[in-house]
Amino acid sequence: MADATDGAPVAGPDDPWAPLRARVLEEVGVRLEHRGAVLDPGWLLAQLEAPAQPPADLALALHRPAKSLGQRPDELARALAEEISALPGFERIWAAGAYLNFAADGAALAEATLARVFALGAGYGHGPAEPGAVSVEHTSANTTGPFHIGRVRNAIIGDTLVRVLRARGHPVTSQYYVDDVGRQAAIITWIWSKPRASWPPEIAGDPTEVGEAAPTKEDHVLGAPYPAAAAYLKSHPDAAEEVQELSRQLEAGREPAGHRALAERILSGMLASLARLGIGFDEFVWESSFLHDGSVEAVLGRLAKSPHRFVEENGAESIDGSAYGLPKDNQHIIVRRSDGTSLYVTRDLAFHLSKFARFPRVVDVLGADHLLHARTLEALLEEIGEPRRPEFVLYAYIQAPGGGKMSTRGGTAVWLDDLLGEAVERARGEVLKRRNDLSEAEVSEIAEKVGAGAIRYSILRVAPEKAVQFRWEEALSFEGKSGPFLQYAFARASSLLRKAERAGGPYPYYVAELSTEWERALLRTIARLPSVVSYAARSGHVHAVATFAHDLAEEFNRFYNEVPVLKAETGRESRLALVAAGRQALGNTLELLGLEPLERM
RNA sequence: GGGCGCGUAGCCUAGUCUGGAUAGGGCACCGGGUUCCUAACCCGGCGGUCGAGGGUUCAAAUCCCUCCGCGCCCGCCA
């Protein structure tokens, strides 16, 4: 993704903190400049975005500017604190050692925050429309069987990125790249093109129990023989040759009957599982389309003009990529096989050129195991003189429960459908434990959303580059840093408004009545949402939103615990307004993460 | 062997890009909290050589170097 330092940190007009930062920046910047301090403008802003020590909201460490002035930092801090004794929006400005601290005027911040939340509603935390269309390609799993949770990290991160970019105002197209011409696509078609009775016993007699979770789902049913078939081909050259021939036919556009339909049936099963997690796609891009429309040949033609391109003795075409900083053993890039067919990287190159033609910004969510492919793709883009590059969001594959790679045949793979089933069942148990006033339909609905939320959040709460081992207890955790924890806070807020019969507003308030430490803390956190979303959208670090979501829910729960609302002696209306604002902010955050905000649970 | 990434309490994790004031959370464990708004909660306690060593700096979890451990990759697979 784009470097987070690109451009000035964006503070949308909905960011309640933005004017405060700008004011400090201005006041301090002018004074430091006047004294002759040398500093780059980004530095001050970065300082202000870092967390400050309570009760300060914003803080500046003055060591650096003091040094450039040849002055002691604590003296500089004191001098500045004296000069800037008052600033609109702040109730206190003081020096603490080498730090210049600023405490926001709680009432003013509360006013600014509530006003923005109520004015923007579901749009609070988002941003103004941005002109640049973005393509986000994610998931793109081969249609050879159901999802196991190793790959689902891709879908969850990708879908969340789509949501965050959309929120930030970008027109986003999510794309699923369907491989229907590669070897794996050939294998699945090969096995199903034969009558089941004629399958070799190694395949027919080795039913990988993929059907256990959802015995009638087509991805499970149709994907069942794939692992055994793939293994069988390794030791049976004659069969492998049949698959090879099939590959060539696919490449040439001579699809056997039922090929596409088979992929679509498996895909629909896979998508049904993703849909339960709130994940969908705008476009499915079939890899074969780049063969059919001639764009693969076109790109091979462009590569052919390169001085680095060679035709090997056996007819294969390759590029000498030694100029592009690839690892030593990976600089010889084959772009066409000796039998004339294309390779994944060549087709992907054609795909990316088609993306660049439509989208100014192109993002690929990729497993870290595809990093070399990504580097190779970049090298080839350079080779044909294409200046644009995709931004890569990389994630580490989730490891099997005992460690190591998830393997279908090794029995270490955990199916998404199994995980979903277990999560929903557990959620149902939790709901029934504490509610007896809900209809069966409501219980099912809640259990589904809670289970899905737990799974999504368990993935999102960890930075994508961390290689995590799958653990049932963690994925199914409903307490602490979990999806249900977030949803629960939302449900509590919803309940308060419902009981006050104010679910639809209006929410009149006096900020002076929101003066307890818990109310102020909650407001400060609500006010952070816009800058968090902005950061996530420009950096691609969507898990910053997940981290924030927990902060917000936690702050709401503290407030809920300490401050009576419905039974408030005074300031009931104002507190209801705060509840409504917290609910709105949390709901918006949940939507970004793809967790269902639940009215009750 | 080479490339990339990761290493923070018993376990999991934020913070690392942009170096700053006592390193935030969660699980587990211990102790509290509900005649009252959903206890899927809150409060307190316990627990840290931020993998090791060196360097840069007024200041290092954060930047640089070396080493160790772990993960991923190094196909005319995708």
Side-chain angles (χ1 to χ4, degrees):
Chain A
M1 286 291 294
D3 195 86
T5 55
D6 280 359
V10 184
D14 58 335
D15 184 349
W17 286 107
L20 298 180
R21 282 196 216 100
R23 221 161 282 152
V24 169
L25 207 59
E26 170 70 17
E27 289 294 320
V28 176
V30 163
R31 284 179 168 75
L32 287 177
E33 246 168 60
H34 180 71
R35 277 159 220 251
V38 191
L39 34 91
D40 67 290
W43 178 80
L44 266 181
L45 192 53
Q47 289 267 310
L48 292 175
E49 292 194 326
Q53 189 120 133
D57 290 302
L58 303 175
L60 289 169
L62 292 170
H63 311 81
R64 187 127 62 151
K67 189 168 191 178
S68 86
L69 292 169
Q71 201 181 350
R72 285 180 42 161
D74 54 338
E75 278 172 11
L76 180 60
R78 224 170 322 139
L80 286 172
E82 238 167 79
E83 282 176 42
I84 315 172
S85 56
L87 210 53
F90 293 93
E91 59 191 13
R92 195 174 153 226
I93 298 162
W94 74 102
Y99 296 82
L100 183 57
N101 283 334
F102 300 82
D105 177 338
L109 183 67
E111 185 64 56
T113 304
L114 292 173
R116 284 168 167 82
V117 173
F118 291 130
L120 296 162
Y124 173 69
H126 298 186
E130 301 263 350
V134 185
S135 151
V136 176
E137 182 205 333
H138 68 87
T139 309
S140 301
N142 286 332
T143 52
T144 52
F147 282 105
H148 57 69
I149 61 94
R151 265 303 170 228
V152 162
R153 199 176 195 181
N154 190 320
I156 292 174
I157 291 169
D159 180 69
T160 305
L161 183 59
V162 168
R163 289 164 183 267
V164 167
L165 289 170
R166 280 209 178 114
R168 215 42 217 175
H170 298 278
V172 179
T173 302
S174 59
Q175 299 185 300
Y176 187 125
Y177 188 44
V178 192
D179 169 24
D180 58 337
V181 291
R183 181 180 151 77
Q184 297 174 12
I187 292 174
I188 194 81
T189 286
W190 171 76
I191 188 65
W192 283 108
S193 67
K194 297 175 177 306
R196 205 166 179 148
S198 71
W199 287 0
E202 292 93 325
I203 300 175
D206 182 19
T208 309
E209 289 300 329
V210 290
E212 205 173 319
T216 58
K217 260 182 96 227
E218 296 217 294
D219 48 341
H220 288 267
V221 173
L222 297 172
Y226 178 83
Y232 176 84
L233 293 169
K234 284 185 183 144
S235 52
H236 294 79
D238 46 332
E241 179 47 42
E242 288 178 35
V243 170
Q244 202 56 41
E245 175 52 31
L246 192 52
S247 277
R248 283 191 285 269
Q249 288 179 25
L250 293 174
E251 175 90 13
R254 296 194 305 274
E255 279 186 7
H259 172 71
R260 173 76 167 247
L262 174 63
E264 280 173 343
R265 286 170 68 189
I266 298 176
L267 183 59
S268 74
M270 297 165 74
L271 293 172
S273 303
L274 292 187
R276 294 179 69 185
L277 292 172
I279 300 168
F281 297 86
D282 298 317
E283 288 183 3
F284 295 88
V285 181
W286 295 77
E287 201 171 359
S288 58
S289 66
F290 301 107
L291 289 163
H292 300 166
D293 71 4
S295 55
V296 168
E297 273 312 315
V299 78
L300 280 165
R302 287 173 74 175
L303 286 166
K305 296 196 189 99
S306 159
H308 303 124
R309 182 261 206 173
F310 301 93
V311 179
E312 327 238 332
E313 284 177 23
N314 59 17
E317 295 172 25
S318 63
I319 296 291
D320 171 12
S322 56
Y324 304 121
L326 293 166
K328 288 182 196 67
D329 298 337
N330 305 291
Q331 298 176 351
H332 184 74
I333 308 167
I334 307 284
V335 295
R336 194 203 292 271
R337 292 196 189 89
S338 51
D339 68 0
T341 58
S342 63
L343 287 106
Y344 168 56
V345 73
T346 320
R347 300 189 295 265
D348 205 21
L349 186 58
F351 178 29
H352 277 82
L353 292 177
S354 85
K355 293 198 216 183
F356 290 139
R358 295 172 56 199
F359 306 101
R361 187 175 172 191
V362 170
V363 181
D364 295 346
V365 181
L366 279 186
D369 50 333
H370 283 57
L371 181 64
L372 180 59
H373 167 74
R375 295 287 163 255
T376 307
L377 181 68
E378 287 177 323
L380 293 180
L381 286 167
E382 180 79 31
E383 187 66 28
I384 61 173
E386 168 56 58
R388 289 168 293 188
R389 295 288 176 275
E391 299 166 33
F392 297 108
V393 171
L394 297 170
Y395 69 93
Y397 213 87
I398 294 175
Q399 292 175 265
K405 218 174 170 171
M406 283 202 189
S407 153
T408 307
R409 285 178 59 74
T412 55
V414 176
W415 302 111
L416 171 60
D417 289 318
D418 282 336
L419 179 58
L420 269 163
E422 183 69 27
V424 171
E425 192 181 318
R426 255 196 224 200
R428 162 178 290 272
E430 294 297 319
V431 177
L432 293 175
K433 229 191 273 177
R434 58 204 100 205
R435 307 284 306 233
N436 55 11
D437 59 329
L438 300 173
S439 69
E440 164 54 27
E442 285 170 316
V443 171
S444 296
E445 166 85 2
I446 293 166
E448 177 75 17
K449 306 299 188 194
V450 168
I455 294 170
R456 265 191 92 123
Y457 196 76
S458 73
I459 298 289
L460 289 170
R461 58 182 273 266
V462 182
E465 63 272 15
K466 296 242 191 195
V468 297
Q469 214 179 90
F470 178 79
R471 289 185 176 83
W472 284 95
E473 326 85 72
E474 275 169 33
L476 296 174
S477 168
F478 290 177
E479 300 173 348
K481 262 188 191 172
S482 72
F485 175 94
L486 310 177
Q487 290 168 314
Y488 182 59
F490 183 88
R492 282 174 137 184
S494 302
S495 172
L496 288 179
L497 298 180
R498 208 164 45 234
K499 292 200 166 156
E501 296 183 349
R502 298 295 288 283
Y507 302 106
Y509 56 87
Y510 294 106
V511 292
E513 291 179 330
L514 302 171
S515 57
T516 66
E517 60 175 294
W518 300 283
E519 290 162 313
R520 289 293 164 84
L522 176 54
L523 282 158
R524 278 172 161 73
T525 307
I526 293 170
R528 279 170 50 208
L529 178 60
S531 64
V532 169
V533 180
S534 162
Y535 167 76
R538 65 180 191 273
S539 70
H541 297 165
V542 293
H543 94 286
V545 180
T547 304
F548 170 79
H550 181 262
D551 290 352
L552 179 57
E554 187 176 46
E555 215 57 77
F556 180 84
N557 280 331
R558 278 204 260 265
F559 156 78
Y560 181 93
N561 233 273
E562 299 291 339
V563 183
V565 176
L566 298 180
K567 299 176 180 72
E569 307 270 326
T570 58
R572 187 174 185 265
E573 288 298 311
S574 297
R575 285 179 183 167
L576 281 168
L578 176 55
V579 169
R583 177 181 175 279
Q584 184 69 256
L586 187 53
N588 295 359
T589 308
L590 288 172
E591 294 280 6
L592 289 171
L593 298 173
L595 273 71
E596 192 80 20
L598 294 167
E599 288 291 325
R600 39 173 71 85
M601 63 186 277

